Amino acid sequence: MWIYFYLAHLLGDFIVHSDRLVQERHDQPLVDLGKHLAVHTILMAVASIVALEIFPSFSLSGLLMLAQAIVLISICHFIIDYGKIKLDMVFNKTIGQALLFIMDQMLHLLVILFTFYCIFEPPAFLDIIGKTFAEKAAATACIFVLATYGAGHFLEILLREFAPNYKLQEGIYRLSDEKIEVKTKHENSGKKEVEITTIKTEQFFHDSPAKIGQLIGMLERTLIVIFMMMDMPQGLAFLAALKTLTRFKQFEHKQFAEYYLIGTLSSAIIGILLGIIAAKIW
């Protein structure tokens, strides 16, 4: 049953929570956390209603235990998020921010598991994946939310430091490169003359908006998870070739090529790992 609460948490953290509220978090942390907590509470209440529909034999005492779980999880959620805001100011490097993101999500999951472990006694409530179709569907939905929005947010943090600083103006991007050519000339007297030339190149691109790039990454990881669930790993080669063709010209620039390679490999690793978990669910 806990899987419905975890799905509610992921929906509240990555889909319902808007970018505007994230920007306001550091300006008015308590106000933003209050709104964020209200969204999570509503979603957990919906998760409870779903659980009651699936388990019609649930008694009044079971309903009270669910209400107790919502209160405890909400309090812990507030404490974790408030602590993360404070730590964001200390660990402002890329690695620190990435680790904070992972720790934050792990703590939320552990809180949900621990709450259900303490409140509910029957082992059925503690089944990690779930035995019913509805529980497996909820677990699969969690995988897809993590593969799309969750992984996208994590990669945005992780790749921030590696991103090439090539933005010239809104909608127009510039990629610069520099190569050194060494030419050796042989004169009639037998003397060698070495000529060193530095060649600088610049190219301008009308690139896609950032949201389009994020959407492409989300679709890529979604397809990776689907391929892994269908036991079709050969589909990964098709995705890699398709994605490479769209950026082929920009690979001439070392900085962009390195950034693209790190991002693609990181995204693929996350998608494959989540795909393996999704395949195990069914």
Side-chain angles (χ1 to χ4, degrees):
M1 175 180 286
W2 68 269
I3 196 66
Y4 303 120
F5 275 64
Y6 185 56
L7 178 58
H9 161 75
L10 293 178
L11 292 175
D13 253 20
F14 297 121
I15 297 181
V16 179
H17 204 197
S18 66
D19 293 337
R20 181 179 59 81
L21 290 178
V22 173
Q23 294 296 327
E24 293 175 354
R25 172 165 290 189
H26 292 284
D27 299 330
Q28 298 177 313
L30 294 178
V31 174
D32 172 70
L33 284 179
K35 296 177 182 178
H36 185 56
L37 198 62
V39 170
H40 274 270
T41 303
I42 293 172
L43 289 172
M44 284 190 290
V46 173
S48 299
I49 295 172
V50 172
L52 291 174
E53 290 294 326
I54 296 174
F55 298 97
S57 60
F58 229 49
S59 61
L60 179 60
S61 61
L63 182 60
L64 293 176
M65 285 191 288
L66 281 175
Q68 186 180 354
I70 292 175
V71 173
L72 290 175
I73 293 172
S74 297
I75 293 173
C76 292
H77 191 105
F78 181 88
I79 294 172
I80 293 170
D81 278 12
Y82 187 76
K84 184 176 181 294
I85 291 174
K86 295 300 181 182
L87 290 175
D88 275 338
M89 302 174 186
V90 179
F91 300 98
N92 50 13
K93 299 292 184 180
T94 300
I95 298 299
Q97 290 285 309
L99 289 175
L100 277 177
F101 174 82
I102 295 174
M103 288 177 59
D104 174 68
Q105 292 304 315
M106 288 298 296
L107 284 173
H108 286 305
L109 175 58
L110 290 174
V111 163
I112 293 172
L113 288 173
F114 185 72
T115 300
F116 273 79
Y117 178 80
C118 293
I119 294 178
F120 296 100
E121 294 180 1
F125 291 113
L126 305 175
D127 192 355
I128 295 300
I129 295 177
K131 296 179 180 178
T132 67
F133 177 83
E135 288 173 325
K136 291 182 177 181
T140 306
C142 289
I143 294 294
F144 279 105
V145 174
L146 287 171
T148 51
Y149 292 91
H153 186 69
F154 175 71
L155 289 172
E156 182 183 352
I157 297 171
L158 189 65
L159 300 175
R160 196 175 295 159
E161 194 171 294
F162 300 99
N165 186 19
Y166 56 90
K167 187 168 182 177
L168 184 64
Q169 62 186 58
E170 191 65 32
I172 300 178
Y173 297 84
R174 176 181 62 195
L175 286 176
S176 302
D177 202 1
E178 186 174 299
K179 297 179 180 178
I180 297 177
E181 289 187 357
V182 180
K183 296 180 180 178
T184 303
K185 295 181 180 178
H186 296 272
E187 298 182 354
N188 295 331
S189 60
K191 184 180 179 181
K192 293 182 180 179
E193 182 178 342
V194 178
E195 181 181 344
I196 301 176
T197 307
T198 301
I199 301 175
K200 293 183 178 181
T201 59
E202 283 189 346
Q203 284 186 292
F204 297 87
F205 299 89
H206 289 272
D207 210 10
S208 303
K211 292 291 184 183
I212 299 298
Q214 293 173 7
L215 181 59
I216 291 172
M218 290 165 60
L219 290 173
E220 175 194 5
R221 290 185 295 275
T222 299
L223 288 174
I224 289 175
V225 172
I226 292 173
F227 285 143
M228 296 302 294
M229 290 179 66
M230 297 176 64
D231 196 21
M232 295 174 57
Q234 62 271 20
L236 303 181
F238 166 75
L239 280 179
L242 183 64
K243 192 175 180 183
T244 300
L245 284 174
T246 62
R247 298 286 191 173
F248 184 77
K249 187 66 176 176
Q250 289 167 286
F251 288 159
E252 296 175 1
H253 302 274
K254 181 181 178 182
Q255 189 181 16
F256 177 83
E258 291 173 347
Y259 169 72
Y260 178 88
L261 183 61
I262 293 172
T264 299
L265 290 177
S266 301
S267 179
I269 289 171
I270 294 172
I272 290 171
L273 291 176
L274 291 174
I276 292 172
I277 297 172
K280 295 292 184 183
I281 292 173
W282 297 94

